[in-house]
């Protein structure tokens, strides 16, 4: 990060963990001097509405921040920019020291990388991105949806959210192997015809969601109770449970699968 100069002008992103300062449904805009940011550390991370977008180092202030999830309604390009800022903030906070020699790190000027300040080391650490698959499974005119433990808090069962299956990619594993493993582990179902759908940066705190569509092959539902509360087949033309919010790749996968079910 560089020292913010009085003449720096543009939009300003302030973050605390996975939250963003977004007053009046917009980022702060203006001159660094007028906003009181001169002398703070920050860096340009892109353009917002054709103006420079700066990420400021995390501040201990009393602004009212909102969760990044609440901004999923924004256009994809804007949400992804905010995700970049949140992930870079997390990366900087969690890589203050060199993993090789233990010396202090600093943000390099030529790229987004934390570099060891020890001239005899200079080890560089790049932002950590954790790949995770997410998959919608179809069986004829039905879609497989699950209520995960993290979505099971509402007392009234009809208010609980049902969504697709997901999980982190393990070392030495392809995305397709992860898709097969996660579906089988969580529901006991075997799948086929796995194909790529799309992806979404997911800064909670540093994931990349890689989406797939798949078809049922065999097996009966057998829940992995440590993670899944319930899983069912739902017909495309019947009443569906609460689904993930707009803007999520999970909902996009569900809608694409329901379209395939309707054609079936």
């Amino acid at each position: 990060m560089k020292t913010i100069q009085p003449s720096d002008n543009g939009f300003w992103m302030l973050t605390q963990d996975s939250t963003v300062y977004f007053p009046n449904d917009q980022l702060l805009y203006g001159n660094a001097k007028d906003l009181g940011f001169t002398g703070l550390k920050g860096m340009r991370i892109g353009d917002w509405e054709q103006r420079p977008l700066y990420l400021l180092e995390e501040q201990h202030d009393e602004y009212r921040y909102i969760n990044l999830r609440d901004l999923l309604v924004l256009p994809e390009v804007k949400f992804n920019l905010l995700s970049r800022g949140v992930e870079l903030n997390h990366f900087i906070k969690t890589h203050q020291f060199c993993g090789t020699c233990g010396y202090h790190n600093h943000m390099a000027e030529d790229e987004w990388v934390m570099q060891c300040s020890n001239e005899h080391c200079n080890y560089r650490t790049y932002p950590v991105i954790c790949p995770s698959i997410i998959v919608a499974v179809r069986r004829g005119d039905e879609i497989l949806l699950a209520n995960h433990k993290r979505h099971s808090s509402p007392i009234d069962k009809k208010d609980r959210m049902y969504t697709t299956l997901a999980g982190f990619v393990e070392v030495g594993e392809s995305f397709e192997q992860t898709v097969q493993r996660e579906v089988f582990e969580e529901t006991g179902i075997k799948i086929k015809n796995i194909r790529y759908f799309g992806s979404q940066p997911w800064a909670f705190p540093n994931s990349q969601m890689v989406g797939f569509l798949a078809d049922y092959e065999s097996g009966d539902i057998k829940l992995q109770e440590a993670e899944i509360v319930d899983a069912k087949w739902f017909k495309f033309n019947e009443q569906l449970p609460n689904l993930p919010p707009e803007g999520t790749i999970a909902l996009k996968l569900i809608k694409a699968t329901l379209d395939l079910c309707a054609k079936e």
Side-chain angles (χ1 to χ4, degrees), residues 25 40-41 52 64 67 71 84 93 105 111-112 127 138 147 151 159 172 195 208 229-231 244 246 251 256:
D25 298 323
L40 298 178
K41 295 294 184 181
R64 181 173 294 179
N67 196 290
L71 299 174
R84 173 184 292 172
K93 285 175 59 179
N105 278 336
E111 55 183 338
W112 295 328
R138 181 178 69 91
N147 175 231
H151 299 143
D159 292 331
R195 62 265 191 210
Q208 179 76 18
V229 175
D230 186 31
E246 288 287 346
L251 186 60

Side-chain angles (χ1 to χ4, degrees), residues 49-214:
E49 297 180 359
Q50 300 180 325
R51 297 289 189 273
L53 172 60
Y54 296 93
L55 172 69
L56 281 185
E57 63 180 346
E58 185 169 315
Q59 305 294 307
H60 299 288
D61 51 48
E62 297 182 356
Y63 288 135
R64 181 173 294 179
Y65 289 75
I66 64 173
N67 196 290
L68 181 62
R69 284 186 174 87
D70 296 331
L71 299 174
L72 277 163
V73 295
L74 292 173
E76 182 176 322
V77 65
K78 286 190 171 183
F79 179 79
N80 288 355
L81 265 175
L82 297 181
S83 294
R84 173 184 292 172
V86 167
E87 291 197 45
L88 284 172
N89 177 63
H90 174 77
F91 170 61
I92 293 168
K93 285 175 59 179
T94 56
H95 290 79
Q96 292 292 301
F97 299 94
C98 177
T100 299
C101 72
Y103 208 76
H104 283 280
N105 278 336
H106 65 274
M107 176 64 75
E109 295 183 0
D110 58 336
E111 55 183 338
W112 295 328
V113 59
M114 295 296 282
Q115 182 171 337
C116 181
S117 300
N118 183 348
E119 62 181 7
H120 301 294
C121 178
N122 287 321
Y123 183 76
R124 286 189 162 206
T125 304
Y126 289 83
V128 177
I129 301 173
C130 299
S132 178
I133 64 88
I134 182 166
V135 57
V137 180
R138 181 178 69 91
R139 186 179 68 178
D141 63 352
E142 298 176 310
I143 183 172
L144 179 64
L145 296 175
N147 175 231
H148 299 256
K149 275 200 168 181
R150 62 183 179 275
H151 299 143
S152 63
S153 56
I155 296 176
D156 193 334
K157 290 185 178 181
K158 68 176 182 292
D159 292 331
R160 294 177 180 175
M161 189 179 81
Y162 279 70
T163 185
T164 50
L165 301 175
F168 286 103
V169 179
E170 294 185 351
V171 174
E173 189 175 57
S174 69
F175 288 142
E176 291 80 5
Q177 289 171 330
T178 306
V179 171
Q180 291 176 315
R181 175 181 56 77
E182 285 290 344
V183 172
F184 184 75
E185 285 180 353
E186 295 187 352
T187 65
I189 298 295
K190 291 186 178 181
I191 56 174
K192 62 182 179 180
N193 193 22
I194 300 168
R195 62 265 191 210
Y196 175 75
F197 175 81
S199 63
Q200 181 178 39
W202 198 241
F204 303 102
N206 56 349
S207 296
Q208 179 76 18
M209 303 295 290
V210 184
F212 292 87
L213 300 172

